[in-house]
Amino acid sequence: MLMAVKVDFATVAWLLGAALAVWLLGLAIRQKLRTEARKLMVPTCAAPGLAVEYGGWDGTAHELVFTSKPYLEAFRAANQPRTMPVRIVERFQEGETYANG
């Protein structure tokens, strides 16, 4: 049995406002944590977040998304002899994206 629920505009507005406030608080916390992570980084750190993400696969080719050029170069050097087809996408600090493969 379906029941009709009557909700007034003030309740909906309050719920939307609360949801927006929680979302903004989450963004602020995330930014603060990233700033703190950047302060703690040493030269051997790849990135304050994920250095590489798995983008999926298509047939036999895998896609890897890199956010750190040094990490990408180390990955390439360590995996030179491998024959697994990999499409490499580079997303660096400037926000530019380059695809290889």
Side-chain angles (χ1 to χ4, degrees):
M1 176 178 197
L2 295 174
M3 294 178 37
V5 177
K6 221 177 186 186
V7 181
D8 62 347
F9 177 77
T11 303
V12 172
W14 186 88
L15 289 173
L16 287 174
L20 179 63
V22 168
W23 182 70
L24 290 173
L25 179 62
L27 285 178
I29 290 170
R30 179 177 182 262
Q31 184 62 35
K32 183 176 187 320
L33 291 174
R34 283 200 164 249
T35 301
E36 290 299 316
R38 286 186 197 279
K39 288 178 188 175
L40 296 173
M41 286 177 66
V42 296
T44 56
C45 290
L50 294 174
V52 62
E53 293 180 55
Y54 183 68
W57 61 276
D58 182 18
T60 59
H62 296 268
E63 180 178 277
L64 302 174
V65 180
F66 289 83
T67 57
S68 166
K69 185 120 179 126
Y71 193 82
L72 169 62
E73 297 304 326
F75 178 86
R76 283 185 174 151
N79 291 283
Q80 226 28 315
R82 306 233 191 271
T83 58
M84 180 180 72
V86 174
R87 178 175 184 262
I88 295 176
V89 179
E90 305 169 19
R91 285 193 191 112
F92 302 120
Q93 297 287 336
E94 299 81 22
E96 296 179 13
T97 301
Y98 306 94
N100 175 8

